[in-house]
Amino acid sequence: MKAKAAVFMGPEKPFDVREFEVTATPAGYGKSRLIASGVCGTDLHFHRGKLFVQPPTVIGHEFVGQLEDCDEIEAAKYGLAKGDNVIADIAVPCGKCLLCKSGDDANCVNMQVTNDGSIEKAPYLYGGYAEVNYTPLSNLVKIPTELDPTMVATFACPGPTAIHAFRLGKQAGFEPTADTVAVVQGLGPVGCFAILYLKAMGVKKIYAVTARENAEREAMVKALGADEVLCLQRDGAENVTKKLQAENSGLGVDLCFEGSGAPAAVAQGMNILRNRGVYLIPGQYSNSGGIEIQPQMITFKALRIIGSSQYSMVDVEGYLAFLCTHKEVHSSILSLGTHYKVADVNNAFADAEAGKNVKTLLVR
């Protein structure tokens, strides 16, 4: 038996679609058959050369599949069995560093990953861009049977990413409530999930801020829960800032969530927050250049600025729990994915790069 995989060949180069032998499952691993695997913004950064990964390799860290083969006794230790739908979480924290010992294993300083195995050595297929995936059983999370696995795959990374950022905000003493005025910068997958999540939390008012005008995307985020969409291109950055600063009787907004990845968004986010406002920043995930900020604003407004770069297994579990609790969002989430076969990976990337899709998924 063989399985197709999309091999990353380096920045700005087409993926090479190859067939690999489906080999015996190594001890401690699960072999899963692809259901859907998301194209993450991180993968786009690899392809643009903004982040580095050694080619040739099978990238992808948003794999959702059906567990086909494993040691059943070993799998049972992790609550798994053949036939389960699973999410493959690639992060392997060391458990020994200061961060891990303090309960912050998402930011382990010795973090390893499960998808960096060589494509030259069996079982070859460790990454998400493949029809078959091999992941340690310890890194597989069972998807509850009541959840559509393709729907789950749509936000398999953006969901836990956003939830982790909100969890850090809660640890800092802030949790969105019915009195919160929130701003989400960026209408990509992370921003869209943040809007949907804030709406489900009962937040009073949600603004979405986007750089470029796109009527279809704006209508979509309103359907997800945004009360108003502000466009920098259409409305002007200064006018957008002034409008948001007028909230809370001229103090500014309570919460800003940065999901755009645009460096200039950070300066605006600081400007629109009220005193003691909270800025969650999971979106700046590549070296896209610097900006000038006014650091005294952090002091005078006593801002709470919280970076969030990864997520952990507990956040994946939190994402699944959220989906189980909020069945009303399922159809909306499912509608956001655009599907491509693994063999069509280069078309998938071209469309993702062009911003044609909310969420790009490779499917079986």
Side-chain angles (χ1 to χ4, degrees), residues 235-278:
D235 305 320
E238 185 175 349
N239 291 332
V240 170
T241 296
K242 287 180 178 178
K243 180 178 179 64
L244 297 173
Q245 286 174 334
E247 288 289 344
N248 285 315
S249 301
L251 289 177
V253 303
D254 303 293
L255 168 71
C256 188
F257 182 100
E258 201 296 298
S260 73
V266 176
Q268 185 176 50
M270 291 169 58
N271 274 327
I272 62 178
L273 282 165
R274 65 165 172 81
N275 285 43
R276 294 296 289 149
V278 173

Short mmCIF file of all heavy atoms in Angstrom, two decimals, residues 235-278:
data_model
loop_
_atom_site.label_atom_id
_atom_site.label_comp_id
_atom_site.label_asym_id
_atom_site.label_seq_id
_atom_site.Cartn_x
_atom_site.Cartn_y
_atom_site.Cartn_z
N ASP A 235 -11.89 52.93 5.59
CA ASP A 235 -12.26 53.91 6.60
C ASP A 235 -11.11 54.82 7.02
O ASP A 235 -11.35 55.88 7.59
CB ASP A 235 -12.82 53.20 7.84
CG ASP A 235 -13.98 52.28 7.50
OD1 ASP A 235 -14.82 52.67 6.67
OD2 ASP A 235 -14.06 51.17 8.07
N GLY A 236 -9.88 54.38 6.76
CA GLY A 236 -8.72 55.15 7.18
C GLY A 236 -8.28 54.75 8.58
O GLY A 236 -9.11 54.67 9.50
N ALA A 237 -6.98 54.49 8.75
CA ALA A 237 -6.46 54.01 10.03
C ALA A 237 -6.75 55.00 11.16
O ALA A 237 -7.12 54.60 12.28
CB ALA A 237 -4.96 53.76 9.92
N GLU A 238 -6.60 56.30 10.90
CA GLU A 238 -6.82 57.30 11.95
C GLU A 238 -8.28 57.32 12.39
O GLU A 238 -8.59 57.40 13.59
CB GLU A 238 -6.41 58.68 11.45
CG GLU A 238 -6.48 59.76 12.53
CD GLU A 238 -5.97 61.11 12.06
OE1 GLU A 238 -5.36 61.16 10.96
OE2 GLU A 238 -6.19 62.10 12.77
N ASN A 239 -9.20 57.21 11.44
CA ASN A 239 -10.62 57.21 11.78
C ASN A 239 -11.00 55.95 12.56
O ASN A 239 -11.82 56.02 13.50
CB ASN A 239 -11.47 57.30 10.50
CG ASN A 239 -11.36 58.64 9.82
OD1 ASN A 239 -11.11 59.66 10.47
ND2 ASN A 239 -11.53 58.66 8.51
N VAL A 240 -10.42 54.81 12.19
CA VAL A 240 -10.68 53.57 12.92
C VAL A 240 -10.20 53.71 14.36
O VAL A 240 -10.90 53.35 15.32
CB VAL A 240 -10.00 52.38 12.23
CG1 VAL A 240 -10.05 51.13 13.11
CG2 VAL A 240 -10.66 52.10 10.88
N THR A 241 -9.00 54.26 14.54
CA THR A 241 -8.45 54.44 15.88
C THR A 241 -9.34 55.35 16.71
O THR A 241 -9.66 55.05 17.87
CB THR A 241 -7.02 55.01 15.80
OG1 THR A 241 -6.16 54.06 15.15
CG2 THR A 241 -6.47 55.32 17.19
N LYS A 242 -9.76 56.46 16.16
CA LYS A 242 -10.60 57.41 16.89
C LYS A 242 -11.93 56.78 17.29
O LYS A 242 -12.42 57.00 18.41
CB LYS A 242 -10.83 58.66 16.05
CG LYS A 242 -9.61 59.57 15.95
CD LYS A 242 -9.92 60.80 15.10
CE LYS A 242 -8.71 61.74 15.03
NZ LYS A 242 -8.98 62.93 14.18
N LYS A 243 -12.52 56.02 16.40
CA LYS A 243 -13.81 55.39 16.70
C LYS A 243 -13.67 54.43 17.88
O LYS A 243 -14.52 54.40 18.78
CB LYS A 243 -14.32 54.64 15.47
CG LYS A 243 -15.67 53.95 15.68
CD LYS A 243 -16.15 53.28 14.42
CE LYS A 243 -17.49 52.58 14.64
NZ LYS A 243 -18.58 53.51 14.96
N LEU A 244 -12.61 53.66 17.89
CA LEU A 244 -12.43 52.68 18.95
C LEU A 244 -12.00 53.33 20.26
O LEU A 244 -12.37 52.87 21.35
CB LEU A 244 -11.42 51.62 18.51
CG LEU A 244 -11.87 50.80 17.30
CD1 LEU A 244 -10.74 49.90 16.81
CD2 LEU A 244 -13.11 49.97 17.63
N GLN A 245 -11.26 54.41 20.18
CA GLN A 245 -10.89 55.15 21.38
C GLN A 245 -12.11 55.78 22.06
O GLN A 245 -12.07 56.09 23.25
CB GLN A 245 -9.87 56.24 21.05
CG GLN A 245 -8.47 55.72 20.76
CD GLN A 245 -7.53 56.81 20.29
OE1 GLN A 245 -7.96 57.82 19.72
NE2 GLN A 245 -6.24 56.62 20.52
N ALA A 246 -13.18 55.98 21.32
CA ALA A 246 -14.40 56.59 21.87
C ALA A 246 -15.20 55.64 22.76
O ALA A 246 -16.08 56.09 23.51
CB ALA A 246 -15.28 57.10 20.74
N GLU A 247 -14.89 54.35 22.71
CA GLU A 247 -15.61 53.39 23.54
C GLU A 247 -15.32 53.62 25.03
O GLU A 247 -14.33 54.24 25.40
CB GLU A 247 -15.23 51.95 23.16
CG GLU A 247 -15.79 51.50 21.83
CD GLU A 247 -17.31 51.28 21.88
OE1 GLU A 247 -17.87 51.19 22.99
OE2 GLU A 247 -17.92 51.20 20.79
N ASN A 248 -16.21 53.13 25.87
CA ASN A 248 -16.08 53.30 27.33
C ASN A 248 -15.92 54.77 27.71
O ASN A 248 -15.03 55.16 28.45
CB ASN A 248 -14.91 52.47 27.88
CG ASN A 248 -15.22 50.99 27.96
OD1 ASN A 248 -16.29 50.60 28.41
ND2 ASN A 248 -14.29 50.16 27.49
N SER A 249 -16.81 55.59 27.13
CA SER A 249 -16.84 57.04 27.42
C SER A 249 -15.50 57.71 27.13
O SER A 249 -15.06 58.60 27.86
CB SER A 249 -17.24 57.28 28.88
OG SER A 249 -18.52 56.73 29.15
N GLY A 250 -14.85 57.27 26.04
CA GLY A 250 -13.62 57.91 25.61
C GLY A 250 -12.35 57.28 26.15
O GLY A 250 -11.25 57.78 25.86
N LEU A 251 -12.46 56.19 26.91
CA LEU A 251 -11.27 55.54 27.44
C LEU A 251 -10.64 54.56 26.44
O LEU A 251 -9.44 54.33 26.46
CB LEU A 251 -11.61 54.77 28.72
CG LEU A 251 -11.93 55.61 29.96
CD1 LEU A 251 -12.33 54.70 31.12
CD2 LEU A 251 -10.73 56.46 30.35
N GLY A 252 -11.47 53.98 25.59
CA GLY A 252 -10.99 52.97 24.64
C GLY A 252 -11.59 51.62 24.94
O GLY A 252 -12.43 51.46 25.84
N VAL A 253 -11.16 50.60 24.21
CA VAL A 253 -11.75 49.26 24.33
C VAL A 253 -11.08 48.49 25.47
O VAL A 253 -9.98 48.79 25.90
CB VAL A 253 -11.64 48.48 23.01
CG1 VAL A 253 -12.31 49.25 21.88
CG2 VAL A 253 -10.19 48.17 22.66
N ASP A 254 -11.79 47.45 25.93
CA ASP A 254 -11.29 46.65 27.05
C ASP A 254 -10.25 45.62 26.61
O ASP A 254 -9.30 45.33 27.33
CB ASP A 254 -12.46 45.89 27.71
CG ASP A 254 -13.56 46.81 28.17
OD1 ASP A 254 -13.31 47.59 29.11
OD2 ASP A 254 -14.65 46.77 27.58
N LEU A 255 -10.49 45.05 25.44
CA LEU A 255 -9.67 43.94 24.96
C LEU A 255 -9.35 44.11 23.50
O LEU A 255 -10.22 44.45 22.69
CB LEU A 255 -10.43 42.61 25.16
CG LEU A 255 -9.85 41.37 24.47
CD1 LEU A 255 -8.56 40.93 25.14
CD2 LEU A 255 -10.87 40.22 24.47
N CYS A 256 -8.10 43.85 23.13
CA CYS A 256 -7.71 43.76 21.73
C CYS A 256 -7.01 42.43 21.53
O CYS A 256 -6.13 42.04 22.32
CB CYS A 256 -6.79 44.91 21.34
SG CYS A 256 -6.44 44.99 19.56
N PHE A 257 -7.41 41.71 20.49
CA PHE A 257 -6.84 40.41 20.15
C PHE A 257 -6.18 40.55 18.79
O PHE A 257 -6.85 40.83 17.79
CB PHE A 257 -7.95 39.36 20.12
CG PHE A 257 -7.49 37.96 19.82
CD1 PHE A 257 -7.32 37.05 20.85
CD2 PHE A 257 -7.22 37.55 18.52
CE1 PHE A 257 -6.91 35.74 20.57
CE2 PHE A 257 -6.80 36.27 18.24
CZ PHE A 257 -6.65 35.36 19.27
N GLU A 258 -4.87 40.37 18.73
CA GLU A 258 -4.12 40.55 17.48
C GLU A 258 -3.97 39.22 16.75
O GLU A 258 -3.24 38.34 17.18
CB GLU A 258 -2.74 41.15 17.79
CG GLU A 258 -2.08 41.85 16.61
CD GLU A 258 -1.76 40.91 15.46
OE1 GLU A 258 -0.96 39.99 15.65
OE2 GLU A 258 -2.33 41.12 14.36
N GLY A 259 -4.67 39.09 15.63
CA GLY A 259 -4.60 37.87 14.84
C GLY A 259 -4.21 38.12 13.40
O GLY A 259 -4.32 37.23 12.57
N SER A 260 -3.74 39.34 13.10
CA SER A 260 -3.46 39.69 11.71
C SER A 260 -2.06 39.33 11.27
O SER A 260 -1.82 39.04 10.09
CB SER A 260 -3.67 41.19 11.50
OG SER A 260 -2.63 41.93 12.10
N GLY A 261 -1.10 39.38 12.18
CA GLY A 261 0.29 39.18 11.83
C GLY A 261 0.96 40.41 11.24
O GLY A 261 2.15 40.38 10.92
N ALA A 262 0.22 41.52 11.09
CA ALA A 262 0.78 42.76 10.54
C ALA A 262 1.44 43.55 11.67
O ALA A 262 0.78 43.91 12.64
CB ALA A 262 -0.32 43.59 9.89
N PRO A 263 2.75 43.84 11.57
CA PRO A 263 3.41 44.56 12.65
C PRO A 263 2.73 45.89 13.00
O PRO A 263 2.65 46.26 14.18
CB PRO A 263 4.82 44.79 12.10
CG PRO A 263 5.04 43.63 11.18
CD PRO A 263 3.71 43.40 10.53
N ALA A 264 2.22 46.60 12.00
CA ALA A 264 1.59 47.90 12.27
C ALA A 264 0.36 47.78 13.15
O ALA A 264 -0.05 48.74 13.81
CB ALA A 264 1.21 48.58 10.95
N ALA A 265 -0.24 46.58 13.19
CA ALA A 265 -1.43 46.38 14.02
C ALA A 265 -1.13 46.59 15.49
O ALA A 265 -2.00 47.02 16.27
CB ALA A 265 -2.00 44.99 13.79
N VAL A 266 0.10 46.30 15.90
CA VAL A 266 0.45 46.38 17.32
C VAL A 266 0.39 47.82 17.83
O VAL A 266 -0.13 48.09 18.91
CB VAL A 266 1.83 45.76 17.58
CG1 VAL A 266 2.24 45.92 19.03
CG2 VAL A 266 1.83 44.28 17.18
N ALA A 267 0.91 48.75 17.04
CA ALA A 267 0.86 50.15 17.45
C ALA A 267 -0.58 50.62 17.57
O ALA A 267 -0.95 51.32 18.54
CB ALA A 267 1.62 51.02 16.45
N GLN A 268 -1.42 50.24 16.63
CA GLN A 268 -2.82 50.64 16.70
C GLN A 268 -3.52 49.99 17.89
O GLN A 268 -4.32 50.62 18.58
CB GLN A 268 -3.56 50.29 15.41
CG GLN A 268 -5.01 50.80 15.41
CD GLN A 268 -5.72 50.54 14.10
OE1 GLN A 268 -5.71 49.42 13.60
NE2 GLN A 268 -6.33 51.58 13.54
N GLY A 269 -3.21 48.72 18.13
CA GLY A 269 -3.81 48.03 19.27
C GLY A 269 -3.52 48.72 20.58
O GLY A 269 -4.41 48.85 21.44
N MET A 270 -2.29 49.17 20.77
CA MET A 270 -1.94 49.89 21.99
C MET A 270 -2.70 51.21 22.09
O MET A 270 -3.11 51.63 23.17
CB MET A 270 -0.43 50.13 22.04
CG MET A 270 0.38 48.86 22.23
SD MET A 270 2.16 49.12 21.96
CE MET A 270 2.52 50.41 23.17
N ASN A 271 -2.92 51.85 20.95
CA ASN A 271 -3.61 53.15 20.93
C ASN A 271 -5.08 53.05 21.30
O ASN A 271 -5.63 53.99 21.88
CB ASN A 271 -3.50 53.78 19.53
CG ASN A 271 -2.21 54.57 19.36
OD1 ASN A 271 -1.72 55.17 20.30
ND2 ASN A 271 -1.67 54.56 18.15
N ILE A 272 -5.72 51.95 20.95
CA ILE A 272 -7.17 51.88 21.12
C ILE A 272 -7.58 51.31 22.48
O ILE A 272 -8.76 51.38 22.84
CB ILE A 272 -7.82 51.03 20.00
CG1 ILE A 272 -7.32 49.59 20.04
CG2 ILE A 272 -7.56 51.67 18.64
CD1 ILE A 272 -7.95 48.68 18.99
N LEU A 273 -6.63 50.76 23.23
CA LEU A 273 -6.97 50.16 24.52
C LEU A 273 -7.16 51.21 25.61
O LEU A 273 -6.47 52.22 25.65
CB LEU A 273 -5.86 49.19 24.95
CG LEU A 273 -5.86 47.83 24.27
CD1 LEU A 273 -4.53 47.12 24.50
CD2 LEU A 273 -7.02 46.97 24.78
N ARG A 274 -8.08 50.93 26.50
CA ARG A 274 -8.29 51.79 27.67
C ARG A 274 -7.19 51.55 28.68
O ARG A 274 -6.39 50.60 28.56
CB ARG A 274 -9.64 51.48 28.31
CG ARG A 274 -9.77 50.07 28.89
CD ARG A 274 -10.96 49.98 29.80
NE ARG A 274 -11.26 48.62 30.24
CZ ARG A 274 -10.65 47.99 31.24
NH1 ARG A 274 -9.64 48.57 31.89
NH2 ARG A 274 -11.00 46.75 31.58
N ASN A 275 -7.15 52.37 29.71
CA ASN A 275 -6.24 52.14 30.83
C ASN A 275 -6.51 50.77 31.43
O ASN A 275 -7.67 50.39 31.65
CB ASN A 275 -6.41 53.20 31.91
CG ASN A 275 -5.80 54.53 31.51
OD1 ASN A 275 -5.96 54.94 30.36
ND2 ASN A 275 -5.11 55.18 32.42
N ARG A 276 -5.46 50.00 31.66
CA ARG A 276 -5.51 48.62 32.14
C ARG A 276 -6.17 47.69 31.13
O ARG A 276 -6.60 46.58 31.48
CB ARG A 276 -6.22 48.51 33.50
CG ARG A 276 -5.49 49.19 34.65
CD ARG A 276 -4.15 48.54 34.94
NE ARG A 276 -4.28 47.23 35.55
CZ ARG A 276 -3.42 46.22 35.39
NH1 ARG A 276 -2.36 46.38 34.61
NH2 ARG A 276 -3.59 45.07 36.00
N GLY A 277 -6.23 48.12 29.88
CA GLY A 277 -6.73 47.25 28.84
C GLY A 277 -5.81 46.07 28.61
O GLY A 277 -4.63 46.10 28.96
N VAL A 278 -6.36 45.02 28.00
CA VAL A 278 -5.61 43.79 27.77
C VAL A 278 -5.37 43.59 26.28
O VAL A 278 -6.31 43.68 25.47
CB VAL A 278 -6.38 42.57 28.34
CG1 VAL A 278 -5.69 41.26 27.95
CG2 VAL A 278 -6.48 42.67 29.86
#
